[in-house]
Amino acid sequence: MKIAIISHGMRLLDEILKSYKKAFERLGCRVITKSNMGGLDTRDIIDIANFKPDFVIGYGTCAMLKGSEGFAFRIFKIPVISLFYDNPFLFLDDDMIKEMESFPEYYYSFIWDEVYLDIYNKRNLPNGHKILLALDREKFYPMDITKKNAISMVGSMPKSLDDFSTGNETCDRFIEDVINLKIDNIDIPVLEICDYLYNNVDEYRIVEDLYNKKPYQFWRGIYSKIHVSGGTRYRTFISSIIDDVDIYIYGECELKKSNIYVKEEVEYGHELCRVYNSYDMNLNLSTLQLETSINNRPFDCFGSKSFLLSDYKKDMEVIFPDHYKEITFKNLNELGEKGEYYLTHEKERREITEELYNIIINNHTYIHRARYILDILADENI
């Protein structure tokens, strides 16, 4: 099988695509890569067409390239596979959706969060499938490093992202209320909180109308601000209330406390792997667009044979059905209790880390994900 990969230009996203490239090649596929960072030119598209791939795959919508005569790869009769490890509706504009509805046989979307996948399917968009993130064993692996009895937290929380003004006071109050309720109810998905507010605050019907009638404006104008601003405020709040243990924050942070040590952001891959291997506990505070899904850290951290305590997401039950309760927290009390327990019980921490390491390397690598994609496309005769 021949595959063309369209890279994105953003480091983390391209690292994911590089991992997929290696996985497809190990499964016997021939793969070429073109960068869409500055936009593909005519020569790039012709090169891909001459390669005659069975499909083109890209992160998000970066492989849905529209020219003066229509969407390029569909014109060349090449199916497009979109990997959505972000909210797909932040990227799918009206033209793209119309194209997918008109030519469903050319478009396949692999979406990591079942809430967005459900919305996608209810809109009768074509060929939607669930897919999780995964471990790249060449980037994340156990290291022989003496661990600090402390917490690491990877993720920036710049003050500049705290501003979410939309220019509409009702929308601004809605965003503020959603973020505050989310921080108070860690385990409740954001869209459930939105539904609660629609049903209980009359003035927020205007936001519900926007969601129903102009969804792209809702996702880009309202939801994206909840995700970006809310994630910063959530991480800042949790980090600020942790006492009695040192916490090393890798990324931009303006918090000033005697137990907080702010470090520079590290590159995804080997440098980040070293961070995970350096602490008795790694803390995962998810961005707010993760409704039920999980980010890279459970795969990367346990794949590094390092302990992780994470906020609860439903997909933790999918990955670790027998252990998710031990390594997740749904509220601040659970965060405190489980954090203290695993920081002071080395034997138990090592045992569960060993078990989850084996689950990850045996079931959740990019080889597993690439084979899953190929199997689904084979069922579709691609």
Side-chain angles (χ1 to χ4, degrees):
M1 178 166 279
K2 295 195 290 186
I3 302 169
I5 293 178
I6 310 299
S7 66
H8 190 282
M10 293 182 63
R11 177 158 177 91
L12 175 57
L13 312 188
D14 282 353
E15 288 297 327
I16 291 171
L17 291 174
K18 288 177 185 177
S19 297
Y20 268 109
K21 180 178 186 290
K22 290 185 297 183
F24 284 127
E25 288 175 336
R26 288 174 184 170
L27 293 172
C29 300
R30 290 178 59 196
V31 184
I32 63 168
T33 301
K34 295 287 184 179
S35 174
N36 193 26
M37 186 172 183
L40 293 187
D41 59 26
T42 302
R43 182 72 257 169
D44 292 323
I45 295 173
I46 291 173
D47 286 346
I48 292 172
N50 289 338
F51 180 64
K52 299 186 186 310
D54 294 279
F55 61 86
V56 173
I57 186 168
Y59 193 102
T61 58
C62 71
M64 293 189 69
L65 304 174
K66 186 179 181 181
S68 59
E69 298 182 14
F71 284 80
F73 294 121
R74 187 258 302 163
I75 291 172
F76 283 106
K77 300 187 183 304
I78 303 171
V80 173
I81 312 303
S82 295
L83 292 171
F84 287 108
Y85 291 120
D86 286 286
N87 179 346
F89 302 106
L90 295 176
F91 308 98
L92 286 169
D93 62 27
D94 292 341
D95 285 346
M96 293 175 182
I97 289 174
K98 183 178 180 181
E99 167 74 7
M100 296 167 75
E101 291 172 337
S102 300
F103 303 96
E105 67 272 23
Y106 287 102
Y107 297 99
Y108 296 79
S109 296
F110 288 80
I111 300 170
W112 95 125
D113 194 296
E114 66 182 34
V115 170
Y116 304 125
L117 179 59
D118 184 56
I119 296 170
Y120 182 95
N121 289 331
K122 285 179 177 176
R123 294 193 64 175
N124 294 315
L125 295 172
N127 307 311
H129 301 276
K130 174 77 180 283
I131 196 165
L132 297 164
L133 282 158
L135 168 71
D136 186 329
R137 296 189 68 184
E138 293 182 8
K139 296 173 183 172
F140 294 92
Y141 46 85
M143 294 180 175
D144 186 14
I145 297 174
T146 300
K147 297 181 186 293
K148 292 185 177 72
N149 188 233
I151 297 172
S152 87
M153 202 287 288
V154 176
S156 290
M157 48 192 92
K159 187 70 174 175
S160 60
L161 295 182
D162 198 25
D163 178 22
F164 54 77
S165 176
T166 65
N168 180 290
E169 292 184 0
T170 300
C171 291
D172 289 350
R173 284 194 295 273
F174 177 81
I175 293 168
E176 177 76 22
D177 285 349
V178 171
I179 292 172
N180 289 336
L181 284 170
K182 177 61 180 176
I183 292 173
D184 289 341
N185 300 272
I186 294 169
D187 59 322
I188 306 298
V190 165
L191 287 175
E192 286 189 23
I193 293 172
C194 290
D195 285 339
Y196 170 81
L197 290 175
Y198 300 152
N199 293 324
N200 288 275
V201 182
D202 287 342
E203 70 169 330
Y204 293 153
R205 294 290 185 183
I206 188 176
V207 182
E208 184 180 26
D209 286 344
L210 190 66
Y211 172 77
N212 290 324
K213 297 175 182 177
K214 297 181 179 179
Y216 189 64
Q217 291 185 23
F218 169 83
W219 294 115
R220 295 301 298 268
I222 304 294
Y223 191 90
S224 65
K225 296 179 185 299
I226 295 170
H227 158 54
V228 174
S229 301
T232 292
R233 288 173 57 179
Y234 169 57
R235 286 175 170 172
T236 301
F237 172 72
I238 297 295
S239 301
S240 72
I241 63 171
I242 294 175
D243 294 314
D244 303 323
V245 61
D246 289 341
I247 176 169
Y248 291 76
I249 296 173
Y250 287 81
E252 187 176 344
C253 174
E254 297 181 21
L255 284 173
K256 306 293 183 184
K257 285 183 66 180
S258 61
N259 67 322
I260 290 180
Y261 300 85
V262 179
K263 302 291 185 178
E264 290 186 1
E265 186 176 349
V266 296
E267 292 283 352
Y268 185 81
H270 303 292
E271 290 184 33
L272 184 54
C273 178
R274 179 171 290 276
V275 169
Y276 290 152
N277 276 278
S278 297
Y279 297 91
D280 281 342
M281 176 175 291
N282 298 282
L283 181 63
N284 185 29
L285 302 176
S286 305
T287 58
L288 299 198
Q289 70 164 332
L290 278 71
E291 297 282 335
T292 60
S293 56
I294 58 177
N295 55 25
N296 304 73
R297 291 188 191 96
F299 302 103
D300 297 343
C301 203
F302 286 117
S304 302
K305 203 177 282 191
S306 300
F307 183 80
L308 179 79
L309 183 62
S310 176
D311 45 16
Y312 170 82
K313 300 293 176 185
K314 187 178 178 182
D315 273 357
M316 293 294 268
E317 299 184 35
V318 176
I319 307 294
F320 307 120
D322 297 324
H323 296 290
Y324 74 92
K325 290 182 179 179
E326 298 161 272
I327 58 168
T328 63
F329 60 91
K330 292 185 174 183
N331 53 57
L332 298 181
N333 286 337
E334 289 188 359
L335 169 61
E337 291 169 1
K338 294 177 183 181
E340 181 179 3
Y341 178 82
Y342 284 111
L343 282 169
T344 57
H345 290 75
E346 181 180 3
K347 177 175 178 291
E348 291 80 359
R349 186 177 68 243
R350 286 180 177 272
E351 286 175 350
I352 193 169
T353 300
E354 179 75 28
E355 286 188 53
L356 302 191
Y357 168 75
N358 288 317
I359 289 173
I360 293 295
I361 65 171
N362 290 317
N363 301 281
H364 299 289
T365 69
Y366 281 101
I367 294 287
H368 294 97
R369 301 294 183 259
R371 185 179 292 116
Y372 167 75
I373 291 172
L374 295 177
D375 286 346
I376 287 178
L377 297 181
D379 290 341
E380 299 287 343
N381 296 315
I382 294 179

